Amino acid sequence: MSRPRSAGVRPPTLQTLPEAIVRNTAIAGARTRSRIMAVVKADGYGHGAITVARAAIAAGARWLGTTDIAEASRLRAGGLTAPILTWLNPSGVDAESAAAGRIDVAVGSVDELHALIGQTSPTPVRIHVHVDTGMAREGCPEHEWDALFAGAQQGERQGKVRVVGLMGHLPSADHADPEANAPAVSRTHQARRAAQAAGLDVPLAHLAATSGTLTDPATHFGMVRFGAGLVGIDPSGTTELHGASRLTAPVVHCAAVAAGTPVGYDGAYVTDAPTHLCVLPVGYADGIPREISADAAVEIHGRRRRVVGRVSMDQTVVDTGADAVPLGTIATVFGPSDGATPTIHDWARWAGTIPHAIVTGIGPRVKRTFA
């Protein structure tokens, strides 16, 4: 089914709020003495990587983090000059592109290191040795550390790489429990000692992401990687951050219906009284979760209005009760908390997921703007 259209009606829009990113970065800065890396992977958690990066740098972040060299290169093309680290690089690392773009890369295995050293680049590639500190998901396992560090030291002598950092991950930081983080902290110290014993000078170590940044100074080392927190998400649930986006959609259809009216596919919801139903031109193809609880709602004219029936690919139905809502009226699907407006955390709860999935799931048909 195609989207209903009305002449002169504004399209569904996701607006990024840079001031909120500035405020969230400042909160992180107040929790740590270490430098801050603003992680803007997945297009800045769906908020626009360049916009998020600029706001974070303006607020004091000194590094940027991305998934791969392509993401980092787009930041460079956008005029950002801060150091950038990429640490997933699913398609591998092109040494020449990394060196030319002044882009650091993480190396988490002996094979990755050999593949990098085997390439030709005009200058050494800056690398962060990536060690497994307890997740068994990425990073070099402990029994291969000696081989990795020795290989990196040899690569430095050959002028192929320059080791500038050491990194790991906290497997349980969202629990906000320093005791749960202690094994990863200990492994990071152990890895630094092993690297130094192999003849490497590792000037910068980093372990903590958003939760560790906000809750456990022992995890901070020389830098923290603040990503989800930039856009208002604290996985630890300990800190009130500021929502950094607002998703709106216009009312494109409104009708009065009788009690007993089935709504949407299979009549999954049936009205229990005469009411008005409005249609918003967004659906699961645009990132509105299909499986949501009966509490799901949007804000219209300062009041929460329930989403009813099944979310369709292109449309969502809202019950506005006794109020007939004019076409073109703007509904706020989510935004910064103000009492009536649902937040991304509300939607995550209604959908049984995490807020990261809500903001990164907004589809390309939704217009992007910036406050």
Side-chain angles (χ1 to χ4, degrees):
M1 181 181 294
S2 63
R3 296 171 179 236
R5 297 286 184 183
S6 298
V9 172
R10 287 191 291 169
T13 300
L14 181 72
Q15 182 184 49
T16 296
L17 309 172
E19 181 57 32
I21 297 161
V22 168
R23 295 168 72 186
N24 292 330
T25 306
I27 290 171
R31 299 288 180 92
T32 184
R33 295 181 178 179
S34 302
R35 66 196 76 181
I36 295 173
M37 173 190 289
V39 179
V40 295
K41 60 184 180 179
D43 194 28
Y45 290 79
H47 290 65
I50 291 175
T51 297
V52 175
R54 287 174 176 165
I57 293 293
R62 295 170 57 185
W63 281 66
L64 298 170
T66 69
T67 298
D68 57 22
I69 290 175
E71 287 185 342
S73 296
R74 287 191 285 273
L75 296 179
R76 289 284 185 248
L80 289 148
T81 60
I84 304 175
L85 170 66
T86 71
W87 65 85
L88 293 174
N89 290 299
S91 299
V93 173
D94 181 87
E96 187 172 0
S97 295
R102 296 171 290 110
I103 298 166
D104 293 13
V105 299
V107 175
S109 73
V110 175
D111 288 343
E112 290 176 29
L113 179 64
H114 287 166
L116 185 60
I117 290 176
Q119 299 180 52
T120 300
S121 66
T123 56
V125 178
R126 289 164 50 99
I127 69 171
H128 298 230
V129 284
H130 189 179
V131 297
D132 179 12
T133 52
M135 288 190 73
R137 184 191 69 177
E138 54 185 319
C140 185
E142 185 177 347
H143 67 272
E144 295 181 4
W145 286 358
D146 288 344
L148 178 66
F149 298 151
Q153 206 272 343
Q154 182 179 11
E156 285 196 327
R157 290 199 306 269
Q158 295 172 346
K160 295 286 191 174
V161 298
R162 178 184 168 203
V163 179
V164 297
L166 180 146
M167 69 179 290
H169 281 80
L170 290 169
S172 303
D174 292 357
H175 297 304
D177 179 4
E179 289 190 10
N181 295 333
V185 172
S186 177
R187 280 193 171 193
T188 302
H189 284 297
Q190 179 185 351
R192 289 184 72 180
R193 290 192 296 269
Q196 290 166 353
L200 294 174
D201 177 21
V202 182
L204 181 65
H206 47 104
L207 177 65
T210 293
S211 292
T213 300
L214 296 173
T215 65
D216 188 358
T219 67
H220 293 183
F221 290 88
M223 182 164 66
V224 296
R225 302 187 299 265
F226 199 64
L230 295 170
V231 299
I233 300 170
D234 170 21
S236 75
T238 63
T239 305
E240 185 174 350
L241 299 174
H242 304 278
S245 58
R246 181 181 291 108
L247 176 62
T248 58
V251 172
V252 294
H253 177 76
C254 187
V257 301
T261 298
V263 180
Y265 288 116
D266 297 326
Y269 174 81
V270 178
T271 60
D272 58 8
T275 193
H276 289 84
L277 299 178
C278 294
V279 176
L280 306 180
V282 287
Y284 58 78
D286 306 292
I288 307 301
R290 187 171 186 270
E291 302 298 329
I292 50 178
S293 75
D295 296 324
V298 302
E299 179 270 327
I300 299 176
H301 288 161
R303 294 180 58 187
R304 284 198 180 187
R305 302 292 193 169
R306 287 180 56 207
V307 173
V308 294
R310 289 183 176 166
V311 173
S312 302
M313 178 179 286
D314 310 287
Q315 299 166 342
T316 298
V317 180
V318 178
D319 188 334
T320 59
D323 297 327
V325 178
L327 299 187
T329 298
I330 298 300
T332 302
V333 180
F334 62 71
S337 177
D338 65 1
T341 301
T343 67
I344 56 174
H345 300 83
D346 290 326
W347 275 96
R349 185 175 67 255
W350 295 332
T353 187
I354 57 175
H356 312 57
I358 301 300
V359 290
T360 59
I362 303 303
R365 301 190 302 187
V366 176
K367 180 181 178 180
R368 266 63 174 181
T369 64
F370 309 98

